Amino acid sequence: MTTRTRPGTARTALVFALITGAALGLTACAGGDPATAPAGASGAPGAAKGALPTEDVVSAVKKNEAAAKLLPADVRQRGSFTIASSVATPPSSAYLPDGKTVVGVDADFAAAVAKALGLELEREVVGFEAILPALGSGKYDVGTGNFGVTEERRKAIDFVTYINDGQGFASRADSPLKAVTDLTQLCGLKVAVNAGTTFERTLEQNKGRCAEAGRKPYEVNVYSETGAIWMSLQQGRSDVVMNTINGVRYAVTQQKNVKFLNEYRRLDVGFAFKKGTPLAPAFQAAVNGLKADGTYDRILRKWGVTGSGIATSQISPPEIPAPKK
């Protein structure tokens, strides 16, 4: 199996600068105090601060004949699948210093599944908010971008789950916030999120809670790139960041003057496909095969996200209920 990455709309010098400069430590702010990192932080064990792990956990994967037999005939004949990948922040996804090699939890699982199915993986880097519509149009076979399984998305997208992540919060170290267990704690504050995410949806759907509590509404600051949300926090243009649990845990270990607040809710995360895809059973069998042969746990350990393991891969499971507050 070989992996070819084609340039996409998200792979520009600006994006790379934002990701490496902000998500990996804001350069001038790199080297956050490890003593303040929360238990279970997602920085990979043994990796230098700001460095990404390079352990090879995929090349030894053997073809899973039973899973490969579940592939549709046209895909077996083609011998490849196309994947649209969003590159945001470690441990989910990031670029190596060369600015073009994509690594992370998503990349390792995609590569491992491709090997298990005996297919070549052809990756194109695409902006997060463009991936799901592109799957619906048939432009790509698969999408990755730490896509949480929600009821709204399940109407148009099929998922094959491989980890459990979700929504978490971070703030500057001097913030009086200790945890966000009720969204009314955000009233009057500016919250930075990525466009087209479950974070943006959650905040927009619950904006009315502040008015009901007789308080000033929170402001949702939406950015297209993950690096920009951390810059907005460091520069005081936002008070709080809402992002993936694993991404937030990792980021606070790489930046000074930033703290992890808490997990707000959990969501299953999966490969995304056009609704009704015939690829889902093969991908599900491949993921479960990786669990059986130990590759699954090796990927989680490499990226320091063992708390995100799932018992078994599922096809489009129901959304994990949100907190009532």
Side-chain angles (χ1 to χ4, degrees), residues 160-312:
V160 172
T161 60
Y162 55 95
I163 61 168
N164 177 274
D165 196 348
Q167 303 175 341
F169 289 100
S171 68
R172 289 184 301 279
D174 60 0
S175 171
L177 286 171
K178 304 295 183 185
V180 179
T181 56
D182 186 323
L183 294 180
T184 58
Q185 292 171 266
L186 300 174
C187 297
L189 301 179
K190 297 177 181 179
V191 188
V193 297
N194 287 113
T197 59
T198 61
F199 321 117
E200 181 183 12
R201 187 193 69 164
T202 294
L203 293 174
E204 292 294 347
Q205 287 180 339
N206 290 280
K207 258 188 170 179
R209 293 188 183 185
C210 292
E212 292 170 3
R215 301 178 63 185
K216 182 180 178 181
Y218 50 73
E219 179 180 314
V220 183
N221 293 339
V222 181
Y223 298 92
S224 60
E225 304 301 338
T226 301
I229 71 175
W230 293 105
M231 285 188 176
S232 76
L233 183 69
Q234 290 280 8
Q235 294 172 356
R237 290 180 284 112
S238 297
D239 302 298
V240 179
V241 160
M242 187 179 188
N243 205 261
T244 66
I245 294 167
N246 290 335
V248 171
R249 285 192 181 279
Y250 183 93
V252 300
T253 69
Q254 303 300 306
Q255 301 181 46
K256 285 185 176 180
N257 304 319
V258 176
K259 65 181 179 180
F260 179 79
L261 294 179
N262 62 293
E263 298 183 8
Y264 179 67
R265 69 173 298 195
R266 283 274 172 175
L267 284 170
D268 289 318
V269 171
F271 294 107
F273 304 84
K274 180 179 180 178
K275 192 72 177 175
T277 179
L279 287 170
F283 270 67
Q284 180 191 31
V287 173
N288 285 328
L290 296 174
K291 287 189 65 67
D293 70 18
T295 302
Y296 184 92
D297 289 336
R298 284 191 287 274
I299 293 173
L300 296 189
R301 286 196 299 269
K302 172 183 175 178
W303 294 100
V305 293
T306 53
S308 283
I310 57 175
T312 186

